[in-house]
Amino acid sequence: MKSIKYLILSLAIGLGSCQDIDTLQKDPGAITNPSADLILTGILTNAWDAPWSTDHRHNQFMTQNEAYYDGQAYGWTTGSYDVFYNSLRNVDRMEIEATKAGDLGAHYLTLAKFFKAYFYSRATEMFGDVPMSEAIKGVSEENFKPKYDSQKDIYIQVLKWLEEANDEMPALIAKKPAISGDYLYGGDLVKWQKLINSYRLRVLISLSKRADDTPDLNVKQQFAAIVNDPAKYPLITTNADNFQVVYNTINTYPLWPSNGVVVKNDKRNTLGATFANIAKTTRDPRLLVVALPADALKGNQDVYQRYGGGKTGDLQSTLLEEAGKGLLSMINFDYWEASAAGVPAIQLGAHEVHFSIAEAINRGWLTGNAADYYAKGVTESMKFYNIAQSEIDKFLAANPYPGNTEKGLQKVLEQKYMAFFENSGRQAFYNNRRTGIPAFDIGQSNSNNNQIPVRWAYPTSEYTTNEVNVKASLKTQFNGADTQNGVMWLIK
């Protein structure tokens, strides 16, 4: 009898164990049915670029002379798809969950159109052709080897998504939906609509080299239509609507030390000459805010000559020697590290919108007073640094817009570059790649055969998971070569 009892007990334990194994295989902490608002928060986390990164050294805003680190040698080769396509998978999931919610999820579907435009455009401007029409279909259609879409087709679709998103916004705004998960704009769809149209201007101005030979893109016409109809296409025109990351005591500023003790001395990271020289020449009051006078130059009677920047092209050993002699300016620690919140990191600001419109007018895309937009761009940028209006007026009087000429275009692009300081990710680099303004320094430190790269090579993983399609795209674009120097359609 005992043996039978033991047998029954053993079977019961065995059967229970089988069920327990199935249960234990599920992660109790995993979110298997996420709501659209939770997914939105994750998407936003990958939608912005931090300041004080290698990208900003390649923007030639700062130089780094510690030999342990990479410095600013422009030595990159391959890039990564991870941020773009991981985010796009999340966007796809947000659409699925928003659709389940019916009318209550409509605003998430519109935001999804913006994010698809946002991440695909960011991917294509980095690499060239990328998968789009067949991408993100691994689960739904078991297509794990998507074809590469041409850059032109990608931009056509990107602009279409942005147009559709703007068209849908007024009805959504009228309903005043409650949007949780949005830690950048706090669920304010009015501001999101301004971002959608402002981002569309960024995309269109980036297509300036294709404005005359690609009628199906209608670059000039689209740009003019947006600017000329502010009621239909509201834009970011003041800093109050900037698309930016506001840091706090939890999400602390990148420069904020973990122990909270700010050491106001860092000669390893010093101001770049490309930025500093423009600021000194134009007597730009932003220079006095963002950086400190160099120790060895403090005796100059001219306050602007007390600042020094290191050339990006110089060897790190040269920069280290100059920094040691006190010839290079460090950042203004009292400004950037006044608290754990630091300074907001602008991703797309009012200054960029105004400068883009000024550039478009200069190029003849639409009528208007480029000088006014130039002045507004300078003003919004300087207001960001809390510079007094009297100082702004003084700067504008000394640095007027010289008219719709090549010099005028250079002045607009130069000031756009200055406004991008430690903001907007790689936009300063992309604008230089497109226009050559300002002239970037190239020297002994350059590890790309004395060239500034113009793209990133495709991820090495593509050659193992999607070889046929990536090679077919390379043949179409770059005669089969996958290098950082291949000139993509966007900038030919």
Side-chain angles (χ1 to χ4, degrees), residues 213 279 368:
D213 63 5

Side-chain angles (χ1 to χ4, degrees), residues 206-359:
S206 76
L207 287 159
S208 65
K209 287 184 175 291
R210 302 276 69 87
D212 293 316
D213 63 5
T214 317
D216 42 351
L217 273 168
N218 290 320
V219 173
K220 299 177 185 179
Q221 295 86 342
Q222 287 196 58
F223 198 103
I226 294 168
V227 177
N228 290 332
D229 193 349
K232 182 177 181 180
Y233 300 105
L235 296 166
I236 297 171
T237 57
T238 69
N239 290 328
D241 295 327
N242 285 351
F243 184 49
Q244 63 185 20
V245 179
V246 178
Y247 295 93
N248 51 44
T249 54
I250 298 174
N251 178 29
T252 58
Y253 194 63
L255 293 180
W256 187 252
S258 58
N259 61 5
V261 179
V262 178
V263 178
K264 300 179 181 180
N265 183 42
D266 185 6
K267 292 185 177 181
R268 298 172 302 174
N269 297 282
T270 53
L271 205 61
T274 303
F275 175 85
N277 290 345
I278 294 172
K280 290 163 66 175
T281 299
T282 58
R283 304 184 70 78
D284 191 328
R286 287 170 290 193
L287 178 64
L288 313 185
V289 175
V290 304
L292 297 173
D295 290 339
L297 305 177
K298 290 180 179 178
N300 276 295
Q301 290 187 339
D302 183 344
V303 64
Y304 286 96
Q305 297 308 313
R306 298 173 187 172
Y307 292 79
K311 291 183 177 181
T312 294
D314 282 349
L315 296 172
Q316 285 187 306
S317 57
T318 301
L319 294 170
L320 180 62
E321 181 180 359
E322 290 178 348
K325 291 179 179 179
L327 296 171
L328 304 181
S329 290
M330 294 181 286
I331 64 170
N332 182 354
F333 303 97
D334 288 333
Y335 175 74
W336 298 106
E337 297 180 84
S339 71
V343 177
I346 299 173
Q347 305 303 302
L348 197 161
H351 53 256
E352 179 183 346
V353 173
H354 291 305
F355 286 130
S356 293
I357 297 173
E359 178 183 344

